[in-house]
Amino acid sequence: MSVMKKIEAIYNNRGDRARELHDAGEKIIGYFCCFVPEEIITALGMIPYRIQGSQTEAIDEADALLEPMACPFARSCFNKALKGEYKFLDGFVAPHSCDTIERMYHIWRANTPSPFNHFVNVPHMMGPSSDAFYKNELLYFVSCLEEFAGKKLEIEKLKDAVNLYNHRRAKLRELYELRKENPPRLSGTEITKLLVAGMGIPATEHIELIQEFMDEVRKRPIPEPDGLPRIFIWGNEIDDIAFIQLVEDCGAHVVIDDLCTGTRFFWEDAPKTDDPFDGLVQKYLGTHCPRSLSTQVGEREEDLENRFGYIRQFTADWSAEGAIFYIVRYCDTCELEGPDLKEYLAKQNLPVLMIEDDYSTSTIGQLRTRIQAFLEMMI
Amino acid sequence: MDTQSQVKTTAVKGTDTAREVRPMVKDIYKAAHEARENGKKVAYMMVASHYDEILRAMDIVPLPTENYAGLCAAKRDMDRFLLRAEADGYSQVLCSYARIGLGFDSLRKELGHIPEGSPDGGMPLPDMMIGSSAICDPRFKWYQATSRYLEAPTFSIDVVAPPPQADLNRVRDYYINYQKEQFQGLIEFCEKQTHTKMDKEKLWEAIRLGDKAWQLWYDIDRLRVAIPSPMPSQDHFSIMVAGHYYTGTQKAVDFYQKLYDEVKYKADNHIGVIKDEKYRILYGGGLPPWHTLWIFNYFESFGAVFAIENVYRGFDPVQVPSHVTDPVDFLAWRTWLRATAYHEKARQNSGNPTVEKLLGIIKDYAIDGVMFHACRSCRATTVGQTHIKTELGKYCDLPMMQLVSDMVDLRDYSEAQWKAQIGAFIDALEARTDQE
Amino acid sequence: MPFAGIDIGSTMTKVVITDEHENILASHIGPTGAEHRHLALRVMEDTIRHAELSFDALDFIVATGYGRINVPFSDKQITEITCHARGIRSLFPTARTIIDIGGQDSKGIKLDSQGKVADFVMNDKCAAGTGRFLEVIADTLGIDLEKMGEISLAAKGFVQISNMCTVFAEHEVTSRLAEGADVAQIAAGLHQAIAERVVNMTRRLGIEKDIVVTGGGAKNPGLIKAIEFQAGFAVLIPPEPFITGALGAALAGKDLFMRGIKPELPRKKEDVRFFS
C-alpha cells in the first residue's frame, strides 16, 4: 500500500485505530484544542486522542441540546459524541479554550460522560502569574489522571514523552520545509490528511507515517514552474480537506498555515527544563491562538508586530503571495483578531481574503467563486 | 426622506425609585466628560469584573462600554454603529455590544469628534481601557481591537472560576493567589496611568460601600418573594445601574436604601406590579432585549409578571474569612467565593450550579414559568441555555420558553414570532393552572 | 476577430459577442433556472446566428456566472467578479467601485486605477440584499416585481424595515400592512433596507467614485434611488446592466487571446452540465 493510501485509510476512518487500541485494553483520552499537554497523558501510559468534528455529517442531534449560535466545530464534535462515535474514549478532557468549549464541556459531561472527565482551566492573560496558575492546573490534572490510571506519574517518563512529541514536532517542521519549494512537491491537501490522521493515532505511529511520507515526497520528480499563487491560510479548526482542496482546485498552492490543526499545535517545541512542567507551560501557553491575549506592547504598530511577527516570518520564508482567513463562524476571538491581522498583512502588501464559514462541506462549494476571484485578482 | 418617529422600546416600570435611574445613566457619561475636562482619568471598562472598587479607590472614572451599547439599543440608535463595525470587517455574528463600541470609536475617529446625536452625549475618549475575562471572551479581546481607532494604554485581567466538580480544597489556594496577582497587576497598571499609589484605606472604603450596596440589593431581591410581586424584572434592568456602574460609591448605597424602603412598603401592603397577578415568571437567563423592553408589559397584559431574573444580578453576599486583612486579598477571596457559591449544592444534586440557583429561585419565588432569552451574538449567556432548560425540567415541571433575538441587534428580532411564542407560553401556563 | 462571453446566472443566461475593438456584435438573454437547463447552448447558438458567425469562428469563449464550471464549449472559466470588472472597465473607464445586484447574490468590487480588481466582497449565503429578497416581498405585498421600483418612487418617505432575514421581513411587512401602512412606503422601505445592506457591505472596500451599479438590480429605479440615498452620491448605470458580466467575459477572452493563448478546437458543442 502506498503511504498516501495508508494515510487516507486513517483519515477516512478516523476513530478506528483508537477504537482498536481501546478494545485491546489501552486507555484513550480524548481532548480538545491546543491546550492539553499530550505528554502528560502519554507519560501515564495512556493514548491522547484529539477530538474532531465532521464537516460532512449534518449536525442534527446536538441541536436539541446546544444552541445553533455556538461554534459549529464544537457542535459537530458533540453531535458525534451523542451518536456514540466517541464511545471508545476512556477519558474526556476539555481545556478552557473559549466560551463555547467551556460551556460544551459541562453539556458533554452531562449527556455523554466518559469514565474520566476533566476540565483544564487555561488563563487568557499571559505573564508569570498566568504561568504559575496553569502549572498548578496541570499538576491538578495529573493528580486526577493518576487516580484514574491507578499509578503515579514518573518524571523520567514525562521527560521521555516530551522528547517523543518534540521529535514529532521536528519531523513536521522538516516536512513543512519541503513546502518551500516552488512549486511544492506536496499539496496542502496531502498535508491536511497527514495532520488529521495523526490526531487519532499514537504519536509513535504518526512519526513513522510522517517519515514514510517525507521519503516518498523526496522521490517525487521536481515539477515544472506553474506560476500558481502560493497561499498562507489562517484560521481555527480545519480538520477536513474540503476547504484546502477547494483552494488548490481553484489554482493555487497552499504552502503554510497558522491553524489549530496546523503549525499552531506543533511549531514550537516544549523546551527541556529541569522541571518538565515548566517547559510544558511555556510551550502550551505560548500557543498562538486569538483566545490568548498578549500584553500590549508600545503603540499600535509595535503591538501588531509583537502579535503577528511570527506570521510575517511564515509568509516571508514560505514566499506566500496571498492570505486566506478561514474562520469557523461564531468564534468571537477570531472575528476580533481577523481585521487586525488583515491590516497587518495589508501593510506588507499581502492580499487577504477573509472567509467566515459554517464548518460544513455542504456550503463550501459556495465559496468557490470567492476563492477563484481572489486568485484571479492576484494574477 | 423621513423615517417614522422613534419607536417606543422601554417598559412601564413597577416602582417609583426605578424612574430615578435614567438621570443616573446620563450621569455616567456626563461624569466621564467632566472628568476629562478636569484632568481626571477615565477608563473604558467591563462591569462585573470584580475590580470596580479598585477603580473607585484610584479615582478613575469608569466608562462601561457594553452598557453604552445597551443604551444605544434602548434609544434605537444602534444601526449606524453596528453597520460601521461591519463595514470595518467585523462579523455580523460578533458580540453586538462589541460591534457597537467598535463602530462608535471608528466613526469618532473618522469624524474627529463624537458622532452627532449620540445617545447621552456619547462616550469621551478614554485615558485607558481595562478589559477582563470575567463572563465572556469578547470582554478581554475587544479593547485590543479598539486600538485600531484610538490610542490608550490597554490592560486586561483574568477572572478565574473552577468547574463545579473540582476539589475546591485542592485548588483554592492557587485560584485565589492567581486572582490576587491579577488584581495586583491591574493596580500597578492604574498606578502607572494615574501616577498615584493606591491607598489601601480608600480601597477598603470602596469595598465597604460596594458590599453594603450589594447587600441591600440582595435584600431587595429577597423582598421580591412577596405575592403579588412588588418589583418586576423590567425594573431590575434599570436599578442594576446603581449596583454595576456605581459600585463602591455612597450613591449606590443611598439608591438601594431608598428602593429597599419602597419595595418593602409594597410587599408589606400587598401592592403588586399588576392588578391581577396570575402567573409569576422567572427570567431564567440571557441578556435582556434592550431594544424591546416593553415585551415585559406585553406579558403583564396576560397577567404574567416577571417576579425575578437571573442575569445582571448582584452576586449573593459571601463571607470572606476574618483572617483576610489585606483589601486585595479580600477582593481575590470574594471573587472566589462568589464563583463557587453554588458548587457544593451542585455536587450534591444536579451537578450544575446555575440549575441549583434557579431551582432555589423557583421554590422561593413561587415561580409558574421560566423564560430564557437567547441572543444571536452572545455566546456566554446563550450557549448552555437549552441544557439548563433540559436539566431544570428534570427537577421541576414548569412551562419554559426561549425567545430568540439579540441584546441590541434588531435584525435578529421578529415581533410576530415572539407574540406567537408568548401566546403559546401563556396557554401552557393557563393549562397548568387548570390542572391544579 | 470575434470573442464570446457567456454568463450563466441563477435566473438568466447572457451571451455577448464582441470584436477586438470591444464593440458589441451581438448579445442575447435567455432564462436559466431548473426547468431551462438545456437552454444555455441555445442562447449561445442564437447569439452566434445574430452575429452571423459560426461556433468555431469564435476566437475565444469565456464562461462566467455561477453556472460557469461545466460549460463544455467554453475555453476558460473566469469568475463573474473579474468579468464584471472587465466589462465595466470597457463601458466606464473612470469606475472605481462596482455594486452588482444579482438574483441570488450581491457583490461589491473595488477597481484600481488600471481598472483591475483590487478587492471585493460578496453576499452569497443569504437572500437579503438580492433580487430574491424583493421577489419574496413583492409577493407578500401582492404587487408585480417589475413594478415595485416604480411604485416605491411615488412614496413620500418610507416605512423602516429592520429585519433583513427574508422570513422575518415577510412577517414584518405583513404586520405593517395590517397596521395600515402604505404599500408604496413599504416598498420604499424595502429598497432602503436592501440598499443599506449592499452599500454597507461595499463600504468594507472603501467606496470611491465613480460608482457603477450593475446586474438585474440596476434595472429597478427604486433601488437605484435608495442606493444613491444610502451612499450619498449619484451612481452610473450601464445601458444594459444584465450583460456586463457576459461582456466582460468576452473581453477577458480577448485579452487572453491577445496574449497568445489559443483555444483547443474543435469545441464540444454540448449543453451545460448542471449539478443536480
Side-chain angles (χ1 to χ4, degrees):
Chain A
M1 199 172 11
S2 81
V3 57
M4 201 17 94
K5 283 268 176 307
K6 272 195 229 172
I7 293 169
E8 279 170 355
I10 302 170
Y11 172 86
N12 290 327
N13 308 286
R14 298 191 199 173
D16 283 7
R17 178 65 181 133
R19 207 171 286 119
E20 190 179 284
L21 290 161
H22 165 83
D23 292 345
E26 298 281 350
K27 293 255 185 295
I28 313 291
I29 306 293
Y31 70 97
F32 272 112
C33 300
C34 307
F35 296 97
V36 178
E38 295 166 289
E39 289 88 340
I40 291 174
I41 298 166
T42 303
L44 274 162
M46 297 185 266
I47 297 162
Y49 182 93
R50 183 153 168 192
I51 297 171
Q52 303 143 48
S54 167
Q55 295 196 9
T56 47
E57 290 168 33
I59 300 171
D60 38 32
E61 292 186 28
D63 275 352
L65 295 160
L66 190 60
E67 289 74 9
M69 58 280 275
C71 155
F73 160 72
R75 285 165 57 226
S76 171
C77 292
F78 182 46
N79 200 63
K80 283 170 81 86
L82 286 175
K83 289 187 160 171
E85 290 179 41
Y86 283 131
K87 276 198 179 133
F88 61 84
L89 294 182
D90 299 282
F92 169 61
V93 183
H96 189 170
S97 321
C98 59
D99 289 336
T100 297
I101 297 285
E102 192 260 345
R103 294 303 137 103
M104 194 187 50
Y105 168 75
H106 302 294
I107 301 169
W108 184 304
R109 191 189 165 126
N111 287 285
T112 59
S114 290
F116 173 79
N117 304 278
H118 192 84
F119 178 78
V120 180
N121 219 334
V122 186
H124 289 290
M125 302 304 133
M126 298 169 101
S129 65
S130 305
D131 291 350
F133 174 77
Y134 181 62
K135 185 175 170 179
N136 276 308
E137 273 292 284
L138 291 186
L139 293 172
Y140 179 53
F141 170 47
V142 167
S143 66
C144 294
L145 201 56
E146 280 176 340
E147 204 177 305
F148 175 67
K151 59 176 157 186
K152 287 276 167 200
L153 178 88
E154 294 165 43
I155 286 299
E156 280 316 307
K157 286 207 168 146
L158 183 58
K159 287 183 175 174
D160 290 346
V162 169
N163 287 337
L164 172 70
Y165 285 95
N166 279 347
H167 181 54
R168 176 169 75 169
R169 289 169 189 133
K171 283 286 157 205
L172 285 171
R173 287 194 301 265
E174 194 184 329
L175 182 67
Y176 266 51
E177 278 301 305
L178 292 171
R179 306 178 83 179
K180 285 182 176 171
E181 295 173 357
N182 192 26
R185 279 180 286 174
L186 69 177
S187 69
T189 309
E190 290 176 306
I191 291 267
T192 309
K193 280 181 195 161
L194 178 64
L195 290 171
V196 174
M199 295 174 180
I201 57 175
T204 45
E205 295 175 16
H206 192 211
I207 290 168
E208 278 174 33
L209 267 189
I210 300 166
Q211 187 60 56
E212 224 180 304
F213 177 63
M214 204 148 45
D215 294 344
E216 189 265 316
V217 171
R218 286 197 171 113
K219 284 184 205 137
R220 293 180 185 177
I222 306 283
E224 292 292 313
D226 56 16
L228 296 182
R230 300 170 61 83
I231 299 295
F232 159 72
I233 297 221
W234 179 85
N236 31 24
E237 291 271 345
I238 304 192
D239 56 8
D240 192 289
I241 54 167
F243 180 73
I244 289 175
Q245 194 167 36
L246 176 62
V247 173
E248 297 193 316
D249 279 355
C250 286
H253 298 295
V254 173
V255 292
I256 185 72
D257 68 77
D258 182 25
L259 297 170
C260 312
T261 42
T263 59
R264 213 171 270 166
F265 86 86
F266 72 79
W267 201 253
E268 302 293 337
D269 275 350
K272 279 187 191 165
T273 44
D274 290 341
D275 178 348
F277 284 99
D278 292 328
L280 291 177
V281 167
Q282 233 174 297
K283 148 82 191 155
Y284 285 91
L285 282 194
T287 305
H288 291 294
C289 175
R291 58 76 65 203
S292 294
L293 188 80
S294 53
T295 311
Q296 189 183 36
V297 177
E299 288 190 355
R300 178 137 176 105
E301 207 149 315
E302 198 184 339
D303 195 41
L304 288 179
E305 186 58 41
N306 178 54
R307 283 164 64 192
F308 303 129
Y310 71 100
I311 290 178
R312 192 162 57 96
Q313 206 61 51
F314 277 159
T315 57
D317 292 351
W318 272 262
S319 318
E321 295 153 285
I324 298 181
F325 296 178
Y326 181 82
I327 300 174
V328 174
R329 202 184 300 275
Y330 301 116
C331 176
D332 283 300
T333 56
C334 278
E335 318 257 26
L336 281 164
E337 188 102 318
D340 276 358
L341 181 57
K342 186 173 180 180
E343 176 189 316
Y344 177 80
L345 294 177
K347 274 188 190 140
Q348 287 146 43
N349 296 317
L350 209 66
V352 174
L353 175 67
M354 189 147 64
I355 288 172
E356 198 185 354
D357 198 43
D358 294 319
Y359 187 79
S360 162
T361 47
S362 67
T363 54
I364 273 175
Q366 295 176 9
L367 302 173
R368 181 182 286 274
T369 300
R370 251 187 259 200
I371 295 164
Q372 203 184 331
F374 177 69
L375 299 175
E376 285 166 0
M377 194 178 102
M378 288 166 56
I379 296 165
Chain B
M1 278 196 244
D2 296 316
T3 57
Q4 283 191 328
S5 61
Q6 155 83 41
V7 197
K8 180 179 152 53
T9 62
T10 51
V12 178
K13 312 245 176 349
T15 62
D16 293 327
T17 315
R19 294 191 188 96
E20 291 174 21
V21 172
R22 185 69 191 100
M24 288 173 80
V25 172
K26 284 188 180 158
D27 274 352
I28 298 171
Y29 306 101
K30 199 168 143 230
H33 282 284
E34 282 170 4
R36 288 283 299 182
E37 283 159 26
N38 302 331
K40 267 176 116 176
K41 300 287 183 191
V42 173
Y44 271 8
M45 54 83 73
M46 300 293 170
V47 301
S49 297
H50 309 264
Y51 61 40
D52 313 61
E53 285 101 335
I54 294 176
L55 304 190
R56 292 287 173 191
M58 301 204 67
D59 268 334
I60 293 168
V61 178
L63 199 46
T65 50
E66 288 173 296
N67 309 93
Y68 191 69
L71 174 68
C72 291
K75 296 274 157 205
R76 284 276 170 109
D77 183 6
M78 59 290 211
D79 288 354
R80 56 174 161 162
F81 305 124
L82 290 170
L83 291 173
R84 177 57 183 227
E86 286 158 25
D88 281 5
Y90 292 102
S91 161
Q92 211 193 306
V93 300
L94 171 67
C95 164
S96 51
Y97 281 171
R99 264 181 288 148
I100 288 201
L102 291 162
F104 175 86
D105 284 320
S106 170
L107 269 177
R108 165 168 50 201
K109 188 186 177 190
E110 184 190 73
L111 298 166
H113 57 78
I114 288 173
E116 261 140 57
S118 293
D120 288 0
M123 296 186 289
L125 277 168
D127 296 288
M128 64 193 97
M129 302 191 272
I130 304 171
S132 99
S133 71
I135 303 169
C136 77
D137 295 338
R139 292 178 18 123
F140 68 80
K141 191 82 181 162
W142 164 358
Y143 295 153
Q144 185 181 53
T146 304
S147 71
R148 258 176 117 177
Y149 308 119
L150 58 93
E151 267 175 30
T154 305
F155 195 82
S156 239
I157 65 160
D158 254 325
V159 174
V160 283
Q165 299 83 9
D167 176 354
L168 298 187
N169 290 326
R170 170 79 169 73
V171 304
R172 182 181 295 108
D173 286 353
Y174 70 80
Y175 266 81
I176 293 178
N177 199 39
Y178 181 48
Q179 201 55 63
K180 185 192 170 178
E181 288 182 32
Q182 289 291 297
F183 286 134
Q184 203 56 55
L186 173 64
I187 291 167
E188 282 159 27
F189 170 80
C190 293
E191 287 179 339
K192 207 172 140 200
Q193 304 310 317
T194 57
H195 310 289
T196 339
K197 271 262 166 240
M198 194 192 64
D199 179 344
K200 288 204 169 176
E201 280 315 306
K202 275 181 88 176
L203 181 55
W204 270 127
E205 178 60 11
I207 291 172
R208 193 186 62 76
L209 289 169
D211 281 356
K212 194 168 173 192
W214 281 43
Q215 179 69 49
L216 278 165
W217 189 5
Y218 177 77
D219 294 342
I220 293 164
D221 281 344
R222 292 305 302 173
L223 289 173
R224 295 167 69 195
V225 299
I227 300 173
S229 165
M231 182 189 126
S233 290
Q234 63 265 34
D235 284 35
H236 165 81
F237 292 125
S238 288
I239 65 96
M240 62 176 238
V241 164
H244 283 307
Y245 318 138
Y246 286 92
T247 315
T249 69
Q250 186 63 43
K251 200 169 178 172
V253 175
D254 295 345
F255 176 84
Y256 284 133
Q257 186 61 59
K258 190 170 177 190
L259 181 63
Y260 180 88
D261 294 342
E262 186 190 352
V263 176
K264 177 126 187 21
Y265 176 82
K266 288 198 158 147
D268 289 349
N269 294 285
H270 310 288
I271 302 169
V273 176
I274 50 173
K275 275 215 181 89
D276 182 17
E277 179 176 302
K278 284 200 240 165
Y279 315 112
R280 295 168 65 82
I281 313 299
L282 160 63
Y283 186 100
L287 296 174
W290 294 114
H291 48 75
T292 308
L293 287 176
W294 58 258
I295 204 73
F296 293 108
N297 297 133
Y298 184 71
F299 276 94
E300 285 170 1
S301 69
F302 299 100
V305 66
F306 278 78
I308 190 80
E309 57 292 316
N310 183 39
V311 65
Y312 281 124
R313 269 270 295 252
F315 299 94
D316 294 359
V318 292
Q319 205 57 52
V320 175
S322 56
H323 65 76
V324 178
T325 52
D326 177 84
V328 185
D329 279 338
F330 183 94
L331 288 177
W333 265 93
R334 196 181 66 180
T335 308
W336 161 267
L337 290 168
R338 285 170 173 175
T340 53
Y342 287 88
H343 278 32
E344 195 51 51
K345 261 193 179 159
R347 267 201 299 275
Q348 284 163 13
N349 195 35
S350 67
N352 187 307
T354 309
V355 170
E356 292 309 314
K357 191 174 179 185
L358 295 180
L359 285 172
I361 290 175
I362 288 168
K363 189 164 154 272
D364 294 351
Y365 290 76
I367 294 299
D368 300 301
V370 189
M371 186 273 260
F372 294 88
H373 180 223
C375 294
R376 189 97 49 197
S377 78
C378 179
R379 250 58 63 201
T381 67
T382 301
V383 178
Q385 274 185 18
T386 311
H387 173 61
I388 286 168
K389 216 166 118 228
T390 314
E391 292 295 302
L392 264 185
K394 293 180 184 166
Y395 299 90
C396 68
D397 179 27
L398 293 181
M400 294 190 226
M401 76 178 303
Q402 187 184 42
L403 292 174
V404 182
S405 76
D406 188 64
M407 55 280 200
V408 300
D409 195 335
L410 203 59
R411 288 170 293 182
D412 293 315
Y413 162 71
S414 163
E415 186 175 318
Q417 193 174 324
W418 275 30
K419 286 189 169 167
Q421 270 182 277
I422 293 168
F425 181 62
I426 299 289
D427 288 347
L429 288 168
E430 210 167 301
R432 188 173 165 269
T433 322
D434 292 346
Q435 274 174 15
E436 277 166 8
Chain C
M1 280 182 274
F3 304 96
I6 177 163
D7 176 1
I8 305 180
S10 59
T11 51
M12 299 285 183
T13 293
K14 290 82 71 173
V15 175
V16 169
I17 297 176
T18 69
D19 63 17
E20 69 275 26
H21 305 296
E22 309 199 356
N23 299 312
I24 296 178
L25 302 178
S27 71
H28 202 65
I29 300 174
T32 313
E35 62 276 28
H36 302 291
R37 282 186 186 189
H38 307 294
L39 290 181
L41 182 62
R42 198 185 301 165
V43 180
M44 187 77 195
E45 284 173 334
D46 282 352
T47 323
I48 291 172
R49 209 167 28 249
H50 276 288
E52 295 174 6
L53 291 164
S54 71
F55 226 104
D56 285 336
L58 293 167
D59 285 307
F60 216 92
I61 303 177
V62 167
T64 188
Y66 101 113
R68 70 183 179 280
I69 320 278
N70 300 298
V71 185
F73 51 82
S74 77
D75 303 317
K76 190 169 173 66
Q77 47 123 329
I78 297 178
T79 63
E80 51 272 36
I81 291 163
T82 305
C83 290
H84 273 302
R86 184 63 186 87
I88 295 294
R89 184 172 110 204
S90 171
L91 297 169
F92 302 104
T94 56
R96 291 294 169 270
T97 310
I98 302 171
I99 295 174
D100 167 45
I101 301 177
Q104 297 289 346
D105 63 18
S106 50
K107 307 177 194 76
I109 306 168
K110 183 163 185 176
L111 305 179
D112 64 16
S113 54
Q114 266 79 53
K116 276 194 66 190
V117 178
D119 204 354
F120 63 92
V121 277
M122 240 180 121
N123 160 31
D124 55 5
K125 287 239 167 124
C126 144
T130 69
R132 174 80 193 133
F133 180 77
L134 277 181
E135 209 179 302
V136 170
I137 303 297
D139 209 42
T140 312
L141 286 173
I143 54 179
D144 233 11
L145 178 61
E146 272 87 68
K147 294 203 185 107
M148 199 141 132
E150 295 289 343
I151 289 171
S152 76
L153 288 177
K156 289 197 182 80
F158 59 86
V159 172
Q160 188 90 41
I161 304 293
S162 43
N163 271 302
M164 282 305 287
C165 167
T166 312
V167 182
F168 280 7
E170 246 186 296
H171 278 306
E172 201 176 346
V173 166
T174 314
S175 42
R176 293 289 162 269
L177 280 175
E179 286 163 22
D182 178 36
V183 171
Q185 288 201 2
I186 295 178
L190 285 161
H191 288 114
Q192 287 295 335
I194 295 178
E196 181 180 274
R197 180 127 176 165
V198 173
V199 168
N200 196 60
M201 177 179 82
T202 311
R203 281 214 173 98
R204 288 187 180 210
L205 310 172
I207 297 180
E208 271 179 69
K209 286 206 258 190
D210 290 339
I211 305 146
V212 179
V213 179
T214 185
K219 295 189 82 106
N220 175 335
L223 190 53
I224 293 295
K225 187 182 168 192
I227 287 174
E228 292 185 328
F229 175 77
Q230 292 289 342
F233 24 69
V235 300
L236 302 169
I237 316 281
E240 184 39 88
F242 268 132
I243 62 163
T244 47
L247 170 65
L251 298 177
K254 185 205 86 173
D255 297 344
L256 288 169
F257 187 80
M258 296 302 180
R259 273 166 43 200
I261 297 165
K262 301 281 184 285
E264 265 178 55
L265 295 175
R267 299 185 176 96
K268 284 187 209 137
K269 269 170 250 159
E270 293 162 19
D271 211 335
V272 175
R273 294 187 296 270
F274 274 91
F275 347 80
S276 55

